[in-house]
Amino acid sequence: MSLQSIALLTYEGQIGFATDDQLLVTYLKQTGFRVSAVPWENSVRKLREFDAVVFRSTWNYHKSPDEFKIWLNTLEMMGLNLWNPLPVIRWNMSKSYLLDLHQKDVPIPAFKYVRKDTEWELDSFLQKNKWQKVVIKPAISATAYNTFPVTRQEAQTANNRINLLLAESDLIVQEFMEEVITDGEYSFIFFGNRYSHAVKKIPKKGDFRVQADFGGNWHPCSPSVSLINQAKQILMLVEEDLLYARVDGVVRQGLFYLMELELIEPALFFGAHPEAARRFTQVLLSRYQNQVKTKKLLGGLDW
């Protein structure tokens, strides 16, 4: 059984393939694959048609996480060839994964994880910890959704907004890293746990958000071997076999601090390296062949 058809998962608000995936799609089609953009909503019947299903631009899952989780459960029962694997998707959906990595001594900007429905006061917390500025993030979020900075002077005013968010979800309160503005945020891209390429993302003047949606821009970069290895060491703590990963962070005095580990729907910046699409495809083929062999073995066992 060979890999012939590939579904790249997206969402109903996306028309066709995401811009970042266009080079990948072109390469896949030139290589002889049938590739389709499939919105995850109401996709169950259609996904049966494909040999492989790859999470790519499901960029609205954070707005309906319960529905998304139910859909993931359905995919699991269908036994589809999914990448990244479902255990990874479930784990990476919530920023609570930072708690797991923190316990494994991964350098992460100082943060507080605040559970849903907690009555919490930011001003007293900042005063106690002597932090001057933080970034507030919902635990399930994407593209800086409901993400905003708060200074110590603004903290008391921000309490109401924060507690409204806590009525809906857990929150991450993270100490603000000035390096995002002064140096930028690095994104290390890995295919099959092997380093492929990197970019540096820069926010527009007066902002801290590096996403293009808010005026940020990016450019290819050539990080040191030391930084690449630091990012890879973080990734190796994930036990599942990954097709792709993006490790985002900032550098302070030579040490890489993890901001986000993106394993569901990150832009992979295929335009930053001419070999990126080929590398992705080779890893996808390898993962597919291994999964088919495993299923044949399990199917042939006498339980």
Side-chain angles (χ1 to χ4, degrees), residues 1-6 33 50-53 80-83 241 243 281-295:
M1 182 179 179
S2 61
L3 176 58
Q4 298 179 341
S5 59
I6 304 168
F33 298 108
F50 296 92
D51 299 321
V53 178
L80 301 174
N81 295 312
L82 298 165
W83 291 280
D241 193 12
L243 169 61
T281 302
Q282 287 180 334
V283 176
L284 175 59
L285 282 169
S286 175
R287 295 298 181 274
Y288 177 79
Q289 290 165 359
N290 289 340
Q291 206 166 86
V292 169
K293 288 178 182 177
T294 300
K295 288 183 177 182

Side-chain angles (χ1 to χ4, degrees), residues 31 100 197 218 243-244 261 295-296:
T31 309
D100 298 334
H197 57 285
W218 63 270
L243 169 61
Y244 59 86
L261 183 57
K295 288 183 177 182
K296 285 183 177 179

Side-chain angles (χ1 to χ4, degrees), residues 17-302:
F17 300 102
T19 301
D20 181 63
D21 286 337
Q22 292 291 347
L23 289 174
L24 172 65
V25 171
T26 298
Y27 182 84
L28 288 171
K29 288 182 176 180
Q30 290 175 347
T31 309
F33 298 108
R34 177 170 63 89
V35 190
S36 300
V38 181
W40 69 269
E41 303 95 331
N42 303 311
S43 63
V44 171
R45 287 186 179 180
K46 186 169 182 61
L47 290 179
R48 295 182 186 277
E49 304 171 8
F50 296 92
D51 299 321
V53 178
V54 182
F55 287 81
R56 286 306 305 125
S57 54
T58 55
W59 289 335
N60 68 341
Y61 76 87
H62 60 287
K63 295 183 179 180
S64 51
D66 292 337
E67 180 182 349
F68 192 74
K69 290 175 183 176
I70 292 171
W71 174 73
L72 293 179
N73 292 340
T74 303
L75 297 190
E76 185 173 44
M77 290 187 291
M78 292 169 65
L80 301 174
N81 295 312
L82 298 165
W83 291 280
N84 274 326
L86 282 182
V88 168
I89 302 299
R90 291 187 176 110
W91 178 72
N92 198 230
M93 273 186 66
S94 170
K95 291 177 176 58
S96 59
Y97 72 80
L98 292 173
L99 294 170
D100 298 334
L101 296 178
H102 180 66
Q103 291 176 353
K104 297 179 180 180
D105 297 324
V106 171
I108 299 173
F111 71 95
K112 171 71 174 177
Y113 193 90
V114 187
R115 300 288 179 181
K116 180 183 176 182
D117 294 327
T118 301
E119 290 187 10
W120 195 72
E121 291 186 353
L122 177 62
D123 50 337
S124 59
F125 174 80
L126 294 186
Q127 185 174 357
K128 178 181 178 181
N129 289 275
K130 298 182 180 180
W131 293 1
Q132 297 301 317
K133 188 176 182 180
V134 296
V135 176
I136 309 296
K137 306 176 183 180
I140 300 180
S141 180
T143 322
Y145 176 73
N146 275 340
T147 298
F148 55 97
V150 182
T151 65
R152 183 184 285 194
Q153 292 74 24
E154 300 165 335
Q156 189 170 10
T157 304
N159 278 334
N160 286 339
R161 181 179 181 184
I162 290 169
N163 281 289
L164 285 174
L165 290 175
L166 281 171
E168 300 176 359
S169 70
D170 297 355
L171 293 182
I172 288 277
V173 181
Q174 193 171 65
E175 188 173 15
F176 189 83
M177 300 288 280
E178 291 291 342
E179 286 80 2
V180 172
I181 295 174
T182 60
D183 182 44
E185 181 178 274
Y186 290 84
S187 283
F188 296 87
I189 290 84
F190 293 81
F191 299 138
N193 291 331
R194 296 186 64 181
Y195 172 72
S196 173
H197 57 285
V199 303
K200 185 183 281 190
K201 300 174 293 186
I202 309 294
K204 75 174 183 180
K205 187 175 181 179
D207 207 330
F208 73 102
R209 296 168 296 186
V210 296
Q211 293 89 349
D213 308 63
F214 307 106
N217 61 76
W218 63 270
H219 59 82
C221 67
S222 300
S224 67
V225 173
S226 172
L227 290 178
I228 294 172
N229 286 338
Q230 289 179 61
K232 185 174 182 178
Q233 287 171 7
I234 295 171
L235 191 60
M236 296 308 292
L237 295 173
V238 181
E239 296 179 358
E240 294 286 338
D241 193 12
L242 302 175
L243 169 61
Y244 59 86
R246 200 182 81 195
V247 186
D248 291 352
V250 298
V251 178
R252 175 176 287 179
Q253 297 180 347
L255 183 63
F256 180 77
Y257 285 82
L258 178 70
M259 301 291 281
E260 300 276 0
L261 183 57
E262 298 278 5
L263 306 178
I264 302 179
E265 30 64 87
L268 296 173
F269 302 103
F270 286 102
H273 199 287
E275 289 291 294
R278 182 185 65 83
R279 291 171 181 164
F280 182 99
T281 302
Q282 287 180 334
V283 176
L284 175 59
L285 282 169
S286 175
R287 295 298 181 274
Y288 177 79
Q289 290 165 359
N290 289 340
Q291 206 166 86
V292 169
K293 288 178 182 177
T294 300
K295 288 183 177 182
K296 285 183 177 179
L297 175 63
L298 293 175
L301 291 176
D302 184 4

